[in-house]
Amino acid sequence: MKFSVNQQDLQKSLNYCQGVIEKRSTLPILSNVLLNVADSKLTITATDLDLIFIHEINNVEIVNEGKTTTTSSIMYDIIRKFSSGKKINLALDENKLQLESEKSIFHLNCINASEFPLTDENFNQNEFLIKSKQLLKLLHKCKFSVSNDETRHYLSGIFFHQTEIDDKFYLTAVATDSHRMSISKLKLSEKIEFEPIILPKKTIFQLCSLLEDYDGDVKISNVKSKIKFELNNSILISKLIDGKFPNYVQVIPKNNKKKLEIELKLFLDSVDRVASVSLDKKDGVKFNLSKDVLNLSVNNANSGDGKESLNVKFEHDLDISFNSRYLIDVASQLDGDKIEIFFNDTGSPALIKDPSDFDSIFVVMPMKG
């Protein structure tokens, strides 16, 4: 095995691999990437057994084809410290991988490629295409609401399913940690064959980093317990969370008639400022609402208090408290220049809408006291 590759291409590919490979793996082979050189391309594979990432680099100069595995983190660390964009020569010599660029030479230990765990599954059914930026939007609108509670594993991912409204079909994404909920949907050109799935958190973040760098179609196909995303030169295959996602529709408030309308940036900055006195962000930010005025305040026994007053559109009187972090998370994902919050009463969840995006809504539970 002997070939040459561009430094930037290799660094980018190995950078993606870092997000898949577990830092403390009990099996040494899982700390390695599989390098396969054939047909004038280098294919790099990384896995933690739940997630498989495959990336192809084209236009590789190959002297001899072959494959091996070596420690991902060490190789990545070396490659990213080489001069940007230079040619790197790699060769396998008696179970050592030689990396050479400019005046540097490294020899890395390898494990035979035959030990690398690869599963080959047939994903050919149920394929559909989706624009990368649309999928990224769904992930961004929902990922902050994913639960960290290990005991309710079915909440530790985003629930994707197909919905139908007025003869139109949507791919709808939902996430909740039972204190807040995000729902976002995108219109499909036609009905698709797609079983509802719960996509794990790690896969979500890995997919986001791939989609940030890619503009084009993503091919999605799923079989019972796995899903496959195909981008330009990358493939991501993930196990799915086994479990039943709760009936989220019944949680969406139906009779929140009191509408608060406010400039988004004004609101975001203001909540962020008053929350500064609360070190652990556990203190609620209190909303004292009267006609066209919102008074925000945070009071922390140890550090002090903060107050701010905003001009808003509102026709009622209401006192309610929220976790400031939840409000900031939601507001940071809105696209337009306004935010609309619909209330019922002090103890009921608030419904948050983005006037510039009818396809996304958010629900936030109030804090007691």
Side-chain angles (χ1 to χ4, degrees):
M1 177 171 135
K2 192 172 182 185
F3 65 100
S4 303
V5 63
N6 178 289
Q7 183 273 343
Q8 278 167 313
D9 293 343
L10 189 53
Q11 179 180 335
K12 191 172 181 181
S13 181
L14 289 168
N15 182 33
Y16 291 137
C17 293
Q18 300 312 301
V20 173
I21 288 172
E22 287 295 330
K23 302 290 173 281
R24 297 176 296 279
S25 179
T26 46
L27 290 169
I29 190 75
L30 292 181
S31 300
N32 285 15
V33 280
L34 174 65
L35 307 169
N36 187 359
V37 193
D39 306 328
S40 72
K41 62 177 184 253
L42 163 64
T43 306
I44 299 182
T45 308
T47 185
D48 65 355
L49 297 182
D50 289 334
L51 195 56
I52 303 169
F53 171 68
I54 304 162
H55 190 248
E56 283 182 356
I57 300 174
N58 296 313
N59 310 323
V60 176
E61 296 169 35
I62 299 177
V63 181
N64 294 318
E65 295 188 347
K67 54 186 170 183
T68 189
T69 83
T70 192
T71 313
S72 175
S73 56
I74 294 174
M75 186 174 177
Y76 174 61
D77 209 25
I78 293 167
I79 299 296
R80 71 186 181 85
K81 290 171 184 170
F82 280 158
S83 303
S84 179
K86 291 283 191 224
K87 189 160 100 168
I88 301 175
N89 300 312
L90 298 95
L92 187 63
D93 183 25
E94 290 186 6
N95 223 19
K96 295 264 189 192
L97 182 65
Q98 177 176 302
L99 309 180
E100 180 199 359
S101 183
E102 297 179 292
K103 294 182 177 169
S104 311
I105 295 184
F106 291 86
H107 293 94
L108 304 184
N109 290 348
C110 297
I111 300 178
N112 196 300
S114 63
E115 290 188 36
F116 197 84
L118 276 183
T119 54
D120 190 30
E121 287 187 48
N122 183 10
F123 277 91
N124 296 345
Q125 68 255 48
N126 307 352
E127 289 182 352
F128 65 97
L129 292 176
I130 196 168
K131 290 267 179 288
S132 57
K133 295 302 173 229
Q134 288 186 308
L135 179 56
L136 187 60
K137 177 192 148 179
L138 283 190
L139 295 168
H140 279 328
K141 298 270 179 189
C142 292
K143 69 181 185 188
F144 62 85
S145 293
V146 170
S147 172
N148 293 317
D149 181 356
E150 298 298 327
T151 59
R152 292 186 294 176
H153 66 283
Y154 52 86
L155 294 183
S156 59
I158 296 179
F159 177 54
F160 280 95
H161 57 304
Q162 185 171 215
T163 52
E164 185 182 355
I165 305 162
D166 303 331
D167 298 328
K168 295 188 187 74
F169 294 95
Y170 296 87
L171 182 63
T172 300
V174 188
T176 181
D177 60 5
S178 70
H179 300 292
R180 53 185 167 169
M181 179 167 73
S182 304
I183 305 171
S184 192
K185 64 184 193 298
L186 67 87
K187 191 167 171 288
L188 296 162
S189 52
E190 58 187 8
K191 186 177 183 180
I192 55 173
E193 288 297 319
F194 184 72
E195 293 294 315
I197 60 151
I198 305 174
L199 196 64
K201 188 184 297 177
K202 184 173 176 178
T203 309
I204 294 163
F205 284 95
Q206 186 65 15
L207 195 51
C208 284
S209 70
L210 288 171
L211 293 169
E212 300 275 3
D213 297 337
Y214 172 62
D215 200 353
D217 284 332
V218 180
K219 186 156 85 179
I220 302 176
S221 44
N222 71 320
V223 294
K224 290 183 208 58
S225 61
K226 291 193 174 163
I227 191 163
K228 178 181 187 181
F229 299 91
E230 294 178 69
L231 291 72
N232 201 1
N233 294 318
S234 304
I235 294 175
L236 194 64
I237 299 171
S238 171
K239 281 188 182 165
L240 298 167
I241 291 174
D242 185 23
K244 189 163 169 41
F245 200 79
N247 179 357
Y248 68 92
V249 179
Q250 65 189 27
V251 185
I252 303 169
K254 304 289 187 287
N255 36 355
N256 286 24
K257 301 285 191 282
K258 299 170 184 169
K259 177 181 173 184
L260 166 66
E261 193 181 321
I262 183 167
E263 295 283 330
L264 177 63
K265 184 160 181 4
L266 204 64
F267 176 74
L268 191 53
D269 292 349
S270 190
V271 171
D272 199 19
R273 272 194 300 270
V274 295
S276 305
V277 290
S278 163
L279 297 168
D280 56 5
K281 300 284 182 276
K282 293 274 191 299
D283 300 300
V285 51
K286 288 192 173 63
F287 282 39
N288 170 252
L289 280 154
S290 50
K291 183 168 168 49
D292 295 342
V293 176
L294 165 59
N295 291 309
L296 294 171
S297 61
V298 174
N299 196 331
N300 180 287
N302 300 318
S303 51
D305 60 74
K307 292 189 180 71
E308 218 164 288
S309 185
L310 298 170
N311 295 329
V312 297
K313 273 191 186 168
F314 195 69
E315 297 294 330
H316 311 268
D317 290 322
L318 181 71
D319 288 326
I320 192 167
S321 297
F322 294 101
N323 178 318
S324 59
R325 180 81 261 143
Y326 295 170
L327 296 176
I328 291 167
D329 283 345
V330 171
S332 305
Q333 283 307 325
L334 301 196
D335 303 323
D337 44 19
K338 291 224 176 355
I339 181 172
E340 293 175 351
I341 308 179
F342 296 81
F343 302 98
N344 183 8
D345 56 39
T346 301
S348 302
L351 182 65
I352 302 179
K353 292 187 178 178
D354 179 351
S356 69
D357 173 17
F358 292 117
D359 289 327
S360 304
I361 59 170
F362 308 89
V363 179
V364 181
M365 296 294 288
M367 288 177 75
K368 306 216 176 352

